[in-house]
Amino acid sequence: MSGQFPAENIGHGQPGHAPRPGEPAQPSAFAFDGESESLITGILAKYPEGKQASAVIPLLYVVQKQLGRETGSAWVPRVAMDVVAARLGMPPIRVYEVATFYLMFNTKPVGRYHLQVCTTTPCWLRGSDEVTRACREATGIRHWGETSEDGLFTMTEVECLGACANAPILQVNDDYYEDLDAGRTVELIQALRRGEPPAPGPTIDRFGSMPQGGRTTLLDVPDGEGPPPAHPATVEA
Ligand code: FES
Protein backbone atom coordinates (compact mmCIF):
# COMPACT_ATOMS: atom_id res chain seq x y z
CA MET A 1 0.00 0.00 0.00
CA SER A 2 2.78 2.42 0.91
CA GLY A 3 4.30 1.96 -2.55
CA GLN A 4 1.41 3.96 -4.00
CA PHE A 5 2.54 7.07 -2.18
CA PRO A 6 4.96 9.40 -4.01
CA ALA A 7 8.25 8.69 -2.31
CA GLU A 8 9.61 12.16 -3.04
CA ASN A 9 7.05 13.57 -0.62
CA ILE A 10 8.02 11.49 2.36
CA GLY A 11 11.75 11.82 2.60
CA HIS A 12 12.39 9.45 -0.14
CA GLY A 13 12.89 5.87 -0.95
CA GLN A 14 13.05 2.90 1.33
CA PRO A 15 14.93 2.98 4.63
CA GLY A 16 18.50 1.83 4.22
CA HIS A 17 18.49 2.13 0.42
CA ALA A 18 20.86 4.50 -1.34
CA PRO A 19 19.18 7.89 -1.76
CA ARG A 20 18.53 9.28 -5.22
CA PRO A 21 20.31 12.54 -6.14
CA GLY A 22 19.18 15.33 -3.84
CA GLU A 23 17.47 12.99 -1.39
CA PRO A 24 18.51 12.65 2.24
CA ALA A 25 19.82 9.33 3.49
CA GLN A 26 17.11 7.47 5.36
CA PRO A 27 18.02 5.82 8.67
CA SER A 28 17.51 2.06 8.52
CA ALA A 29 15.78 1.83 11.91
CA PHE A 30 14.02 3.88 14.55
CA ALA A 31 12.98 3.05 18.10
CA PHE A 32 11.44 5.28 20.75
CA ASP A 33 13.78 6.02 23.66
CA GLY A 34 12.76 6.03 27.33
CA GLU A 35 11.80 9.70 27.40
CA SER A 36 9.59 9.25 24.34
CA GLU A 37 8.02 6.08 25.74
CA SER A 38 6.93 7.85 28.91
CA LEU A 39 5.44 10.69 26.82
CA ILE A 40 3.61 8.15 24.66
CA THR A 41 2.13 6.43 27.71
CA GLY A 42 0.60 9.74 28.78
CA ILE A 43 -0.60 10.59 25.28
CA LEU A 44 -2.30 7.23 24.63
CA ALA A 45 -4.05 7.38 28.01
CA LYS A 46 -6.07 10.34 26.70
CA TYR A 47 -7.82 8.26 24.03
CA PRO A 48 -10.45 5.56 24.55
CA GLU A 49 -9.73 1.99 23.55
CA GLY A 50 -9.87 1.58 19.78
CA LYS A 51 -9.27 5.30 19.10
CA GLN A 52 -5.47 5.27 19.37
CA ALA A 53 -5.11 6.40 15.75
CA SER A 54 -6.17 9.84 16.97
CA ALA A 55 -2.76 10.08 18.64
CA VAL A 56 -0.91 10.12 15.31
CA ILE A 57 -0.07 13.84 15.41
CA PRO A 58 1.33 13.85 18.97
CA LEU A 59 3.33 10.68 18.26
CA LEU A 60 4.86 12.16 15.12
CA TYR A 61 5.77 15.16 17.21
CA VAL A 62 7.42 12.84 19.77
CA VAL A 63 9.47 11.31 16.93
CA GLN A 64 10.59 14.71 15.73
CA LYS A 65 11.62 15.84 19.21
CA GLN A 66 13.56 12.62 19.81
CA LEU A 67 15.47 12.94 16.53
CA GLY A 68 16.25 16.53 17.52
CA ARG A 69 17.69 15.33 20.85
CA GLU A 70 19.64 12.46 19.29
CA THR A 71 20.99 14.06 16.12
CA GLY A 72 20.43 17.81 16.40
CA SER A 73 18.07 17.57 13.42
CA ALA A 74 14.38 17.46 14.33
CA TRP A 75 12.70 15.55 11.53
CA VAL A 76 10.52 12.50 10.87
CA PRO A 77 12.11 9.83 8.65
CA ARG A 78 9.92 7.35 6.88
CA VAL A 79 11.02 4.41 9.01
CA ALA A 80 9.77 6.31 12.07
CA MET A 81 6.40 6.88 10.37
CA ASP A 82 6.21 3.10 9.99
CA VAL A 83 7.00 2.65 13.69
CA VAL A 84 4.20 5.10 14.58
CA ALA A 85 1.80 3.22 12.27
CA ALA A 86 2.65 -0.08 13.93
CA ARG A 87 2.28 1.38 17.42
CA LEU A 88 -1.14 2.83 16.62
CA GLY A 89 -2.38 -0.12 14.55
CA MET A 90 -3.02 1.96 11.43
CA PRO A 91 -1.91 1.59 7.79
CA PRO A 92 1.42 3.35 7.14
CA ILE A 93 -0.12 5.35 4.28
CA ARG A 94 -2.40 7.14 6.76
CA VAL A 95 0.61 8.21 8.81
CA TYR A 96 2.42 9.38 5.64
CA GLU A 97 -0.66 11.44 4.74
CA VAL A 98 -0.63 13.24 8.08
CA ALA A 99 3.14 13.73 8.23
CA THR A 100 3.26 15.25 4.75
CA PHE A 101 0.15 17.42 5.17
CA TYR A 102 1.18 19.38 8.27
CA LEU A 103 4.13 21.69 7.74
CA MET A 104 5.24 21.42 11.35
CA PHE A 105 6.59 17.97 10.52
CA ASN A 106 9.93 18.03 8.74
CA THR A 107 10.15 15.12 6.33
CA LYS A 108 13.76 15.98 5.51
CA PRO A 109 16.62 16.71 7.92
CA VAL A 110 16.88 20.31 9.10
CA GLY A 111 19.58 22.29 10.86
CA ARG A 112 19.77 22.54 14.65
CA TYR A 113 17.88 25.82 14.37
CA HIS A 114 14.94 25.80 12.00
CA LEU A 115 14.28 29.42 11.02
CA GLN A 116 10.65 29.71 9.94
CA VAL A 117 10.02 33.17 8.54
CA CYS A 118 6.39 34.29 8.32
CA THR A 119 5.86 36.31 5.14
CA THR A 120 2.06 36.56 5.19
CA THR A 121 0.56 40.06 4.78
CA PRO A 122 0.70 41.44 8.37
CA CYS A 123 4.31 40.28 8.78
CA TRP A 124 5.17 41.52 5.29
CA LEU A 125 3.71 44.95 6.07
CA ARG A 126 5.77 45.06 9.26
CA GLY A 127 9.10 44.08 7.72
CA SER A 128 9.34 40.35 6.97
CA ASP A 129 11.41 41.18 3.85
CA GLU A 130 13.97 42.76 6.17
CA VAL A 131 13.92 39.70 8.46
CA THR A 132 14.34 37.39 5.46
CA ARG A 133 17.28 39.38 4.15
CA ALA A 134 18.94 39.43 7.57
CA CYS A 135 18.52 35.65 7.93
CA ARG A 136 20.10 35.10 4.53
CA GLU A 137 23.05 37.39 5.22
CA ALA A 138 23.70 35.99 8.71
CA THR A 139 23.51 32.33 7.68
CA GLY A 140 24.70 32.33 4.05
CA ILE A 141 21.50 30.57 2.98
CA ARG A 142 20.34 31.66 -0.46
CA HIS A 143 17.09 29.78 -1.03
CA TRP A 144 14.13 28.69 1.04
CA GLY A 145 14.51 25.15 2.32
CA GLU A 146 18.30 25.25 2.31
CA THR A 147 20.53 24.40 5.25
CA SER A 148 23.61 26.50 6.01
CA GLU A 149 27.04 25.04 5.28
CA ASP A 150 27.77 24.63 9.00
CA GLY A 151 24.55 22.62 9.35
CA LEU A 152 23.22 24.92 12.07
CA PHE A 153 20.38 26.67 10.26
CA THR A 154 17.58 25.76 7.85
CA MET A 155 15.39 28.53 6.47
CA THR A 156 11.74 27.95 5.62
CA GLU A 157 9.04 30.36 4.46
CA VAL A 158 5.80 29.85 6.39
CA GLU A 159 2.28 31.25 6.34
CA CYS A 160 0.63 33.14 9.21
CA LEU A 161 1.84 31.84 12.58
CA GLY A 162 -1.15 33.32 14.39
CA ALA A 163 0.85 36.02 16.17
CA CYS A 164 0.19 38.95 13.81
CA ALA A 165 -0.13 41.45 16.68
CA ASN A 166 3.61 41.06 17.16
CA ALA A 167 4.60 40.94 13.49
CA PRO A 168 7.05 40.29 12.01
CA ILE A 169 7.55 36.82 13.50
CA LEU A 170 10.46 34.43 13.18
CA GLN A 171 9.80 30.97 14.61
CA VAL A 172 12.95 29.14 15.70
CA ASN A 173 12.21 25.48 16.38
CA ASP A 174 9.22 25.79 18.76
CA ASP A 175 9.78 29.39 19.88
CA TYR A 176 8.44 32.68 18.50
CA TYR A 177 10.69 35.75 18.27
CA GLU A 178 8.52 38.79 17.71
CA ASP A 179 8.63 42.45 16.62
CA LEU A 180 11.88 41.83 14.77
CA ASP A 181 13.87 44.08 12.50
CA ALA A 182 17.08 43.37 10.59
CA GLY A 183 19.44 44.26 13.43
CA ARG A 184 17.63 42.21 16.07
CA THR A 185 17.35 39.28 13.66
CA VAL A 186 21.12 39.24 13.13
CA GLU A 187 21.70 39.50 16.90
CA LEU A 188 19.34 36.56 17.42
CA ILE A 189 21.15 34.41 14.87
CA GLN A 190 24.53 35.28 16.35
CA ALA A 191 23.25 34.26 19.80
CA LEU A 192 21.94 30.97 18.42
CA ARG A 193 25.30 30.32 16.78
CA ARG A 194 26.97 30.80 20.18
CA GLY A 195 24.49 28.30 21.65
CA GLU A 196 22.85 31.02 23.74
CA PRO A 197 19.21 31.22 22.62
CA PRO A 198 17.59 34.33 24.09
CA ALA A 199 14.18 34.18 25.76
CA PRO A 200 11.44 34.03 23.12
CA GLY A 201 8.73 36.69 22.82
CA PRO A 202 8.79 40.39 21.89
CA THR A 203 12.21 41.78 21.02
CA ILE A 204 11.10 45.33 21.78
CA ASP A 205 10.01 46.90 25.02
CA ARG A 206 6.47 45.66 25.30
CA PHE A 207 4.75 42.88 27.19
CA GLY A 208 2.96 40.31 25.07
CA SER A 209 0.89 42.09 22.44
CA MET A 210 0.17 45.25 24.41
CA PRO A 211 -0.03 48.28 22.11
CA GLN A 212 3.34 49.44 20.83
CA GLY A 213 3.88 52.98 22.14
CA GLY A 214 1.06 52.76 24.68
CA ARG A 215 -2.74 52.55 24.65
CA THR A 216 -4.69 54.37 21.97
CA THR A 217 -8.23 53.46 23.14
CA LEU A 218 -10.16 53.41 26.44
CA LEU A 219 -8.15 56.42 27.52
CA ASP A 220 -11.13 58.04 29.27
CA VAL A 221 -11.82 55.19 31.73
CA PRO A 222 -11.12 56.75 35.14
CA ASP A 223 -8.65 54.93 37.37
CA GLY A 224 -9.62 53.67 40.81
CA GLU A 225 -13.37 53.51 40.26
CA GLY A 226 -13.65 49.75 40.26
CA PRO A 227 -15.16 47.57 37.55
CA PRO A 228 -17.89 48.98 35.28
CA PRO A 229 -21.53 48.32 36.39
CA ALA A 230 -22.98 44.96 35.40
CA HIS A 231 -25.20 44.84 32.34
CA PRO A 232 -28.90 44.92 33.44
CA ALA A 233 -29.54 41.54 31.80
CA THR A 234 -27.05 39.90 34.18
CA VAL A 235 -28.55 41.38 37.40
CA GLU A 236 -30.79 38.94 39.29
CA ALA A 237 -34.36 40.13 39.99
S1 FES B 1 0.98 37.17 9.36
FE1 FES B 1 2.79 36.59 10.41
S2 FES B 1 1.99 35.85 12.28
FE2 FES B 1 0.20 36.36 11.16
Side-chain angles (χ1 to χ4, degrees), residues 115 132-143 146-150 153 155 189 193:
L115 309 177
T132 301
R133 205 159 30 244
C135 286
R136 289 195 204 290
E137 287 173 8
T139 62
I141 293 172
R142 288 182 301 166
H143 304 292
E146 276 183 9
T147 297
S148 57
E149 281 181 13
D150 57 11
F153 301 99
M155 227 178 121
I189 290 172
R193 185 170 274 126

Short mmCIF file of all heavy atoms in Angstrom, two decimals, residues 115 132-143 146-150 153 155 189 193:
data_model
loop_
_atom_site.label_atom_id
_atom_site.label_comp_id
_atom_site.label_asym_id
_atom_site.label_seq_id
_atom_site.Cartn_x
_atom_site.Cartn_y
_atom_site.Cartn_z
N LEU A 115 14.77 28.04 11.10
CA LEU A 115 14.28 29.42 11.02
C LEU A 115 13.06 29.45 10.12
O LEU A 115 13.17 29.23 8.91
CB LEU A 115 15.37 30.34 10.45
CG LEU A 115 16.75 30.27 11.12
CD1 LEU A 115 17.73 31.18 10.38
CD2 LEU A 115 16.67 30.65 12.59
N THR A 132 13.86 38.41 6.41
CA THR A 132 14.34 37.39 5.46
C THR A 132 15.76 37.71 5.00
O THR A 132 16.65 36.85 5.00
CB THR A 132 13.40 37.34 4.24
OG1 THR A 132 12.09 37.03 4.68
CG2 THR A 132 13.85 36.28 3.24
N ARG A 133 15.96 38.97 4.63
CA ARG A 133 17.28 39.38 4.15
C ARG A 133 18.33 39.20 5.24
O ARG A 133 19.43 38.68 4.99
CB ARG A 133 17.21 40.86 3.70
CG ARG A 133 18.24 41.23 2.67
CD ARG A 133 17.89 42.47 1.87
NE ARG A 133 17.09 43.45 2.57
CZ ARG A 133 15.86 43.81 2.22
NH1 ARG A 133 15.29 43.27 1.18
NH2 ARG A 133 15.19 44.72 2.90
N ALA A 134 17.98 39.57 6.46
CA ALA A 134 18.94 39.43 7.57
C ALA A 134 19.27 37.96 7.82
O ALA A 134 20.42 37.61 8.08
CB ALA A 134 18.35 40.07 8.83
N CYS A 135 18.27 37.10 7.74
CA CYS A 135 18.52 35.65 7.93
C CYS A 135 19.47 35.15 6.87
O CYS A 135 20.40 34.39 7.16
CB CYS A 135 17.21 34.87 7.85
SG CYS A 135 16.15 35.02 9.29
N ARG A 136 19.24 35.56 5.63
CA ARG A 136 20.10 35.10 4.53
C ARG A 136 21.54 35.57 4.76
O ARG A 136 22.49 34.78 4.63
CB ARG A 136 19.61 35.66 3.19
CG ARG A 136 18.33 35.07 2.67
CD ARG A 136 18.16 35.44 1.19
NE ARG A 136 16.79 35.41 0.75
CZ ARG A 136 16.05 34.33 0.60
NH1 ARG A 136 16.56 33.15 0.90
NH2 ARG A 136 14.80 34.40 0.17
N GLU A 137 21.70 36.85 5.08
CA GLU A 137 23.05 37.39 5.22
C GLU A 137 23.78 36.78 6.42
O GLU A 137 24.97 36.52 6.37
CB GLU A 137 22.99 38.92 5.35
CG GLU A 137 22.64 39.56 4.00
CD GLU A 137 22.38 41.06 4.10
OE1 GLU A 137 22.60 41.64 5.17
OE2 GLU A 137 21.92 41.62 3.08
N ALA A 138 23.05 36.50 7.50
CA ALA A 138 23.70 35.99 8.71
C ALA A 138 23.99 34.49 8.63
O ALA A 138 24.84 33.99 9.37
CB ALA A 138 22.82 36.28 9.92
N THR A 139 23.30 33.78 7.74
CA THR A 139 23.51 32.33 7.68
C THR A 139 24.18 31.87 6.39
O THR A 139 24.68 30.75 6.32
CB THR A 139 22.15 31.58 7.76
OG1 THR A 139 21.35 31.95 6.63
CG2 THR A 139 21.42 31.90 9.05
N GLY A 140 24.15 32.73 5.36
CA GLY A 140 24.70 32.33 4.05
C GLY A 140 23.72 31.51 3.23
O GLY A 140 24.06 31.04 2.14
N ILE A 141 22.51 31.34 3.73
CA ILE A 141 21.50 30.57 2.98
C ILE A 141 20.94 31.44 1.86
O ILE A 141 20.60 32.61 2.09
CB ILE A 141 20.37 30.12 3.93
CG1 ILE A 141 20.92 29.12 4.94
CG2 ILE A 141 19.20 29.52 3.16
CD1 ILE A 141 19.94 28.76 6.04
N ARG A 142 20.82 30.87 0.68
CA ARG A 142 20.34 31.66 -0.46
C ARG A 142 18.89 31.37 -0.80
O ARG A 142 18.16 32.23 -1.29
CB ARG A 142 21.22 31.41 -1.68
CG ARG A 142 22.59 32.05 -1.56
CD ARG A 142 23.42 31.84 -2.79
NE ARG A 142 23.60 30.41 -3.05
CZ ARG A 142 24.06 29.91 -4.19
NH1 ARG A 142 24.35 30.70 -5.19
NH2 ARG A 142 24.20 28.61 -4.34
N HIS A 143 18.44 30.14 -0.59
CA HIS A 143 17.09 29.78 -1.03
C HIS A 143 16.31 29.14 0.11
O HIS A 143 16.87 28.48 0.98
CB HIS A 143 17.18 28.78 -2.21
CG HIS A 143 17.98 29.29 -3.35
ND1 HIS A 143 17.58 30.34 -4.14
CD2 HIS A 143 19.19 28.90 -3.82
CE1 HIS A 143 18.50 30.58 -5.06
NE2 HIS A 143 19.49 29.72 -4.89
N GLU A 146 16.90 25.64 2.23
CA GLU A 146 18.30 25.25 2.31
C GLU A 146 18.77 25.20 3.76
O GLU A 146 18.22 25.88 4.63
CB GLU A 146 19.18 26.27 1.57
CG GLU A 146 19.28 26.04 0.09
CD GLU A 146 20.22 27.04 -0.57
OE1 GLU A 146 20.91 27.81 0.12
OE2 GLU A 146 20.21 27.06 -1.82
N THR A 147 19.85 24.45 3.95
CA THR A 147 20.53 24.40 5.25
C THR A 147 21.91 25.04 5.09
O THR A 147 22.56 24.86 4.05
CB THR A 147 20.66 22.95 5.74
OG1 THR A 147 19.33 22.42 5.92
CG2 THR A 147 21.41 22.84 7.05
N SER A 148 22.32 25.81 6.10
CA SER A 148 23.61 26.50 6.01
C SER A 148 24.76 25.50 5.97
O SER A 148 24.61 24.34 6.39
CB SER A 148 23.79 27.44 7.21
OG SER A 148 23.69 26.72 8.42
N GLU A 149 25.89 25.95 5.46
CA GLU A 149 27.04 25.04 5.28
C GLU A 149 27.50 24.43 6.60
O GLU A 149 27.98 23.30 6.64
CB GLU A 149 28.19 25.77 4.60
CG GLU A 149 27.98 25.89 3.10
CD GLU A 149 29.12 26.60 2.41
OE1 GLU A 149 30.17 26.80 3.04
OE2 GLU A 149 28.92 26.96 1.24
N ASP A 150 27.35 25.18 7.71
CA ASP A 150 27.77 24.63 9.00
C ASP A 150 26.71 23.70 9.60
O ASP A 150 26.91 23.13 10.68
CB ASP A 150 28.10 25.76 9.99
CG ASP A 150 26.93 26.72 10.21
OD1 ASP A 150 25.80 26.39 9.77
OD2 ASP A 150 27.14 27.78 10.82
N PHE A 153 21.64 25.98 10.55
CA PHE A 153 20.38 26.67 10.26
C PHE A 153 19.72 26.13 8.99
O PHE A 153 20.40 25.86 8.00
CB PHE A 153 20.63 28.17 10.06
CG PHE A 153 21.27 28.84 11.25
CD1 PHE A 153 22.63 29.09 11.28
CD2 PHE A 153 20.50 29.21 12.34
CE1 PHE A 153 23.23 29.69 12.38
CE2 PHE A 153 21.08 29.82 13.45
CZ PHE A 153 22.45 30.06 13.47
N MET A 155 16.31 27.40 6.61
CA MET A 155 15.39 28.53 6.47
C MET A 155 14.16 28.11 5.68
O MET A 155 14.28 27.59 4.56
CB MET A 155 16.13 29.63 5.71
CG MET A 155 16.00 31.00 6.31
SD MET A 155 16.97 32.15 5.34
CE MET A 155 15.69 33.28 4.87
N ILE A 189 20.43 35.51 15.54
CA ILE A 189 21.15 34.41 14.87
C ILE A 189 22.56 34.26 15.43
O ILE A 189 23.04 33.13 15.63
CB ILE A 189 21.13 34.63 13.34
CG1 ILE A 189 19.71 34.41 12.84
CG2 ILE A 189 22.12 33.71 12.63
CD1 ILE A 189 19.48 34.77 11.41
N ARG A 193 24.03 30.93 17.21
CA ARG A 193 25.30 30.32 16.78
C ARG A 193 26.23 30.09 17.98
O ARG A 193 26.97 29.12 18.03
CB ARG A 193 25.96 31.23 15.74
CG ARG A 193 27.21 30.62 15.15
CD ARG A 193 27.73 31.41 13.97
NE ARG A 193 27.09 31.01 12.73
CZ ARG A 193 26.48 31.82 11.88
NH1 ARG A 193 26.41 33.10 12.16
NH2 ARG A 193 25.94 31.37 10.78
#
